[in-house]
């Protein structure tokens, strides 16, 4: 159980960092396209923005079992033979979590007033200073919520993980599944204990998400 907990925390941390990075890039791209559509920069960009948004949400419409099997096939041969690598799990968990990250940080980008960024630039602030003084105060809570979402989703992900987890590196849900499949009261008790621990972590995370959520905007 201790090994499974450590594996889950390590994988969830990697998936969280990857998902937040990808989600921020996706949200920034979508926000810039939305702004271009509002300003009428290019014809047809509004439809393109909707299609791009749907593309980013595609992992929500895809079964995690399908993703796990797809990764097993796609990364099972050279030059990207990651079938025996633990790196497969953070990657697939990040893909599952990216839509939640996107929907968490997009309201933060929408709240940034362009006039504030222009005023900072006129006062001599470079791109990094503008991000730190103008963007970051508005984005830190959405990014925190996105990170909690990604960490919690990775921690509890099972459907794709069962395809990809190696016997020597089980995650918490996989370990619970294995303990439940073995006879004996001790195995059953360990499975229940790990289930309670997983529920407690998820409960704390979602309470924190409700506390730090940027706004009541219904992104989903």
């Amino acid at each position: 159980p201790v090994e499974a907990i450590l594996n889950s925390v390590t994988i969830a941390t990697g998936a969280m960092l990857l998902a937040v990075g990808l989600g921020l890039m996706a949200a920034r791209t979508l926000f810039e396209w939305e702004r271009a559509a509002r300003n009428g920069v290019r014809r047809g960009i509004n439809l393109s923005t909707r299609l791009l948004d749907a593309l980013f949400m595609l992992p929500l419409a895809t079964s995690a079992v399908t993703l796990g099997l797809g990764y097993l096939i796609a990364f099972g041969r050279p030059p990207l033979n990651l079938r025996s690598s633990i790196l497969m799990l953070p990657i697939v968990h990040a893909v599952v979590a990216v839509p939640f990250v996107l929907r968490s940080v997009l309201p933060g980008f929408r709240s940034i007033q362009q006039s504030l960024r222009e005023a900072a630039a006129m006062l001599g602030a470079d791109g990094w200073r503008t991000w730190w003084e103008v963007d970051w105060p508005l984005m830190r809570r959405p990014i925190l919520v996105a990170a909690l979402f990604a960490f919690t989703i990775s921690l509890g992900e099972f459907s794709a993980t069962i395809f990809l987890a190696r016997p020597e590196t089980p995650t918490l849900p996989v370990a619970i599944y294995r303990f439940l499949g073995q006879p004996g009261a001790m195995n059953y008790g360990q499975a229940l204990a790990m289930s309670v621990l997983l529920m407690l972590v998820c409960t704390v995370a979602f309470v924190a998400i409700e506390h730090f959520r940027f706004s009541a905007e219904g992104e989903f």
Side-chain angles (χ1 to χ4, degrees):
V2 175
E3 183 181 354
I5 292 171
L6 292 177
N7 290 335
S8 289
V9 171
T10 303
I11 293 168
T13 302
M16 176 189 69
L17 296 175
L18 185 58
V20 169
L22 293 174
L24 281 173
M25 289 188 289
R28 183 70 185 184
T29 301
L30 192 59
F31 170 70
E32 293 294 342
W33 283 36
E34 287 179 350
R35 190 170 64 177
R38 288 194 303 268
N39 297 334
V41 175
R42 287 185 295 172
R43 295 181 59 185
I45 197 172
N46 193 30
L47 178 60
S48 300
T49 303
R50 293 177 181 272
L51 293 176
L52 184 65
D53 189 23
L55 179 64
F56 288 146
M57 292 294 106
L58 194 58
L60 286 181
T62 306
S63 170
V65 174
T66 305
L67 288 175
L69 183 59
Y71 271 69
L72 199 62
I73 295 172
F75 295 99
R77 64 190 67 178
L80 291 175
N81 188 3
L82 299 178
R83 185 174 293 182
S84 60
S85 174
I86 197 174
L87 295 176
M88 287 275 280
L89 292 177
I91 293 173
V92 72
H93 289 183
V95 171
V96 174
V98 160
F100 295 91
V101 174
L102 174 64
R103 286 298 186 244
S104 298
V105 300
L106 194 55
F109 278 113
R110 289 170 176 165
S111 68
I112 299 174
Q113 299 181 22
Q114 188 62 22
S115 58
L116 295 178
R117 305 185 91 255
E118 293 172 354
M122 290 181 63
L123 291 173
D126 55 13
W128 170 250
R129 183 75 180 275
T130 301
W131 162 260
W132 183 252
E133 297 290 345
V134 178
D135 297 352
W136 173 246
L138 296 173
M139 291 297 302
R140 57 189 175 190
R141 292 181 66 174
I143 290 175
L144 177 60
V145 169
L148 289 171
F149 256 127
F151 185 87
T152 308
I153 290 169
S154 175
L155 202 65
E157 214 295 318
F158 174 75
S159 300
T161 308
I162 197 67
F163 281 91
L164 305 173
R166 306 296 298 171
E168 64 273 12
T169 55
T171 62
L172 200 55
V174 172
I176 293 171
Y177 173 76
R178 291 178 182 174
F179 276 119
L180 288 175
Q182 297 175 5
M186 188 173 187
N187 290 325
Y188 186 68
Q190 289 185 93
L192 293 181
M194 288 189 292
S195 300
V196 171
L197 180 61
L198 185 59
M199 287 190 294
L200 285 175
V201 172
C202 293
T203 300
V204 171
F206 280 104
V207 169
I209 287 171
E210 287 298 316
H211 177 72
F212 291 108
R213 190 170 57 170
F214 179 76
S215 67
E217 184 176 355
E219 283 297 327
F220 285 95

